[in-house]
Amino acid sequence: MNNDNEIVKNLVAGGIIGAALGALIADDNQEGATIGAIAGAVFFATLKANDKAKQTHIPFYIEENGTLYKIASDGSKHFVKRIEKSQTKLKKQFILK
């Protein structure tokens, strides 16, 4: 897993992933390169933030398919509870009072 992260980081740092994302997103090469560079930077920053968060050894919570799980610092996943989907339907437009 760590080796995979290093490969991805190197691809992002080299601009390969950013350029590929840009090519998929936009028809215009200049615009695609800009979007790709931003996407690559965001991806790289997310990886670094995730690594830093893991070093704190503080558990975090994720939701998968209507279920809340606690992820421990060792990577183990523990069931917390099922999450009920809200049945409330909001109008597309409304007035704040």
Side-chain angles (χ1 to χ4, degrees):
M1 180 73 168
N2 208 12
N3 191 25
D4 290 343
N5 283 343
E6 289 302 316
I7 291 170
V8 171
K9 286 178 186 179
N10 289 334
L11 290 174
V12 171
I16 295 170
I17 287 181
L21 286 174
L24 290 173
I25 294 171
D27 292 333
D28 180 1
N29 287 338
Q30 182 62 33
E31 182 180 326
T34 303
I35 292 171
I38 293 169
V42 168
F43 186 70
F44 184 64
T46 302
L47 283 176
K48 292 201 59 93
N50 188 29
D51 288 343
K52 293 280 187 184
K54 286 180 183 177
Q55 293 173 5
T56 65
H57 302 292
I58 297 174
F60 61 95
Y61 295 85
I62 61 168
E63 181 272 333
E64 289 180 351
N65 301 318
T67 305
L68 186 65
Y69 293 100
K70 175 181 171 182
I71 307 297
S73 60
D74 65 359
S76 60
K77 181 166 52 170
H78 305 278
F79 171 83
V80 176
K81 71 177 189 175
R82 300 261 325 136
I83 300 173
E84 304 248 348
K85 298 261 181 188
S86 174
Q87 300 300 321
T88 305
K89 300 287 184 190
L90 297 175
K91 296 178 184 178
K92 288 190 176 195
Q93 293 185 350
F94 52 93
I95 299 172
L96 298 175
K97 294 182 180 182

